[in-house]
Amino acid sequence: MKFLNKTLPILSILIYIISVSQIAFKTGYMGEIRIYYSYEVLLVGGISFLGGGIPETFVWSTNFWYLLSLFFTKNKKYKEAIIFSIIATLISMSFMLWKEVLWSESGSTASILSLEIGYFLWVISMIILLVNSILLSYKKDS
């Protein structure tokens, strides 16, 4: 039980932190390739709606759902943690379906050329927390 209570959430947090230091994805627009680092996306993603990036802000909200899930896991409210982990996991994984992201405030979009290790580590951190919450809920109920 200690493994579930402490080790998996800490592993999830560590992977999340590592993901922030990595490249998240690459885009292409009119022959120009741009690399998006995860820390950039984390810092400005929450305000991308100001430039018209409502869908981008929605994906960024995954970070909020992840933090809520951590909070509920720590406070042993596993059903709530599961709900918020599912939301975080599904939203984060939905980005894999995207073909384009907002390039500029004018509304032009750039093609997503590749998803990189930072993105995949970010998703893995969400999945670990979801699995942990499910296992803790199961243990609590049995």
Side-chain angles (χ1 to χ4, degrees):
M1 190 76 151
K2 185 178 181 183
F3 178 76
L4 295 175
N5 282 331
K6 301 236 187 258
T7 307
L8 282 180
I10 289 171
L11 177 63
S12 175
I13 292 168
L14 287 174
I15 290 172
Y16 182 93
I17 290 169
I18 292 168
S19 79
V20 173
S21 70
Q22 304 299 310
I23 296 171
F25 59 94
K26 295 178 183 175
T27 62
Y29 179 73
M30 294 178 53
E32 182 181 343
I33 295 175
R34 174 145 192 248
I35 295 172
Y36 285 85
Y37 286 90
S38 298
Y39 71 87
E40 294 174 309
V41 176
L42 178 63
L43 292 174
V44 299
I47 60 168
S48 62
F49 69 93
L50 297 173
I54 303 298
E56 287 82 356
T57 302
F58 179 69
V59 171
W60 178 88
S61 75
T62 297
N63 300 297
F64 174 72
W65 304 118
Y66 175 76
L67 290 175
L68 279 175
S69 182
L70 281 172
F71 172 79
F72 284 114
T73 299
K74 182 169 179 8
N75 290 300
K76 298 181 171 66
K77 296 189 182 279
Y78 305 124
K79 301 287 186 205
E80 292 87 346
I82 290 170
I83 291 167
F84 291 121
S85 288
I86 288 171
I87 293 169
T89 302
L90 290 176
I91 294 173
S92 67
M93 292 176 77
S94 74
F95 190 69
M96 285 188 227
L97 303 174
W98 287 35
K99 303 289 182 226
E100 300 177 321
V101 292
L102 189 66
W103 177 264
S104 68
E105 292 177 6
S106 69
S108 57
T109 57
S111 297
I112 297 173
L113 300 176
S114 64
L115 299 173
E116 301 294 329
I117 189 72
Y119 169 74
F120 291 109
L121 289 172
W122 183 63
V123 172
I124 289 168
S125 72
M126 308 294 157
I127 293 170
I128 289 172
L129 195 58
L130 173 59
V131 169
N132 183 70
S133 300
I134 291 169
L135 292 174
L136 283 170
S137 177
Y138 177 75
K139 289 272 190 198
K140 183 180 175 186
D141 290 343
S142 59

